[in-house]
């Protein structure tokens, strides 16, 4: 805690832990083929189970940070779970006109495996805010929790375990962001890396990701409130299907 009291222990993840997490992501590829309705149900379960333990998580955040903002952060973290549960089955595809006798379907598909460095200042919200849209759109995630306050994220594992989240869809690591970011960005098994870390790792991530042509979304060390459309765009990629037809 800020007061120096021991609240628990968190492991320090290394390169091998990232490899293991990405292998678990790959083994959970069936998640990307599930229906939006099923993903919505599971996100609702997560939200409801977190709501049932809101006082416990609020107390944990207060003890970790030394502030009294825990209750507000837990309520803030519950909202995106309900929001993205509602979006899970509403962002699949659109039909678009083309200059021929036909049409084109713009199919929104999951990116795949996404590595995420979480916001340090918000132990719970910083994890849930990027996780929820990513898994709602069918992605599998490896998240590096808040570096100074990791215990809220490790507690959240219990909520995932009781919410029917398949193994490998959400993997949470704890450790030093600056040490883990280069290994995450260079890993060929990840299809994208997002960084919302308080440590500015943007240049490192973009350079290391170039070798595998990996998508990146970085914050340059700044905190920003991203709109729904940006989360949707970053969580999906578009496959265009041309459908010609005659007179």
């Amino acid at each position: 805690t800020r007061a120096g009291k021991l609240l628990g222990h968190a492991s320090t993840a290394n390169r091998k832990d990232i490899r293991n997490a990405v292998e678990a992501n790959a083994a959970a590829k069936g998640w990307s083929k599930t229906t939006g309705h099923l993903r919505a149900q599971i996100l609702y379960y997560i939200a409801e189970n977190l709501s049932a333990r809101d006082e416990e998580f609020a107390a944990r955040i207060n003890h970790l940070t030394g502030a009294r903002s825990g209750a507000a952060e837990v309520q803030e973290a519950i909202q995106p779970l309900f929001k993205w549960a509602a979006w899970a089955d509403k962002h699949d595809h659109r039909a678009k006109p083309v200059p021929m006798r036909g049409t084109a379907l713009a199919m929104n598909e999951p990116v795949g495996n996404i590595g995420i460095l979480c916001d340090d200042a918000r132990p719970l919200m910083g994890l849930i805010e990027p996780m929820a849209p990513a898994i709602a759109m069918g992605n599998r995630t490896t998240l590096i929790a808040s570096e100074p306050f990791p215990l809220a994220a490790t507690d959240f594992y219990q909520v995932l375990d009781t919410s029917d989240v398949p193994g490998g869809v959400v993997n949470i690591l704890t450790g030093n962001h600056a040490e883990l970011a280069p290994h995450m960005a260079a890993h060929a098994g990840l299809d994208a890396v997002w960084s919302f870390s308080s440590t500015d790792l943007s240049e490192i991530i973009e350079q290391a990701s170039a070798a595998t042509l990996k998508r990146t979304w970085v914050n340059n060390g700044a905190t920003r409130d991203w709109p729904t459309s940006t989360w949707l765009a970053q969580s999906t990629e578009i496959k265009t299907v041309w459908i010609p037809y005659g007179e």
Side-chain angles (χ1 to χ4, degrees):
T1 67
R2 292 287 190 185
K5 181 180 178 182
L6 178 66
L7 294 178
H9 297 275
S11 62
T12 301
N14 56 29
R15 184 175 184 176
K16 184 177 185 300
D17 294 312
I18 290 177
R19 290 202 306 268
N20 292 342
V22 176
E23 287 173 4
N25 284 158
K29 62 182 179 181
W31 177 252
S32 297
K33 299 177 182 178
T34 57
T35 64
H37 176 72
L38 176 61
R39 297 196 299 272
Q41 277 190 314
I42 290 175
L43 279 160
Y44 279 126
Y45 291 156
I46 299 172
E48 290 165 356
N49 289 331
L50 180 58
S51 297
R53 298 176 58 181
D54 58 351
E55 293 183 1
E56 174 189 341
F57 276 88
R60 173 67 99 180
I61 293 169
N62 288 341
H63 289 149
L64 288 170
T65 64
R68 305 302 302 173
S69 57
E73 182 174 339
V74 174
Q75 294 306 313
E76 184 185 17
I78 290 169
Q79 294 310 307
L81 292 168
F82 282 119
K83 170 184 174 180
W84 291 107
W87 267 104
D89 60 354
K90 297 177 179 66
H91 190 65
D92 44 8
H93 68 270
R94 289 181 295 171
K96 296 186 174 183
V98 293
M100 57 175 280
R101 290 293 294 173
T103 189
L105 295 181
M107 310 291 293
N108 292 310
E109 298 187 339
V111 174
N113 298 327
I114 302 179
I116 304 172
L117 292 127
C118 299
D119 182 355
D120 291 301
R122 299 177 298 163
L124 185 63
M125 180 59 175
L127 180 99
I128 291 177
E129 185 179 39
M131 180 208 77
I135 68 172
M137 295 298 107
N139 298 287
R140 292 90 65 191
T141 57
T142 291
L143 301 110
I144 312 297
S146 166
E147 185 174 337
F149 311 122
L151 295 183
T154 56
D155 289 348
F156 186 64
Y157 258 131
Q158 299 169 10
V159 175
L160 297 174
D161 285 342
T162 57
S163 302
D164 294 342
V165 180
V169 173
V170 179
N171 301 300
I172 302 173
L173 302 179
T174 56
N176 185 284
H177 287 195
E179 290 180 4
L180 295 173
H183 300 305
M184 179 175 277
H187 198 300
L190 287 171
D191 302 294
V193 172
W194 300 351
S195 178
F196 308 106
S197 175
S198 301
T199 304
D200 188 1
L201 303 168
S202 303
E203 183 176 356
I204 293 171
I205 290 170
E206 290 179 336
Q207 288 181 348
S209 296
T212 54
L213 302 179
K214 189 185 281 86
R215 285 178 60 171
T216 60
W217 182 19
V218 293
N219 65 342
N220 295 300
T223 299
R224 182 172 171 183
D225 185 15
W226 298 98
T228 298
S229 59
T230 302
W231 289 109
L232 288 170
Q234 293 292 341
S235 299
T236 55
E237 58 187 15
I238 299 174
K239 177 188 288 184
T240 301
V241 180
W242 292 77
I243 306 175
Y245 58 84
E247 295 294 336

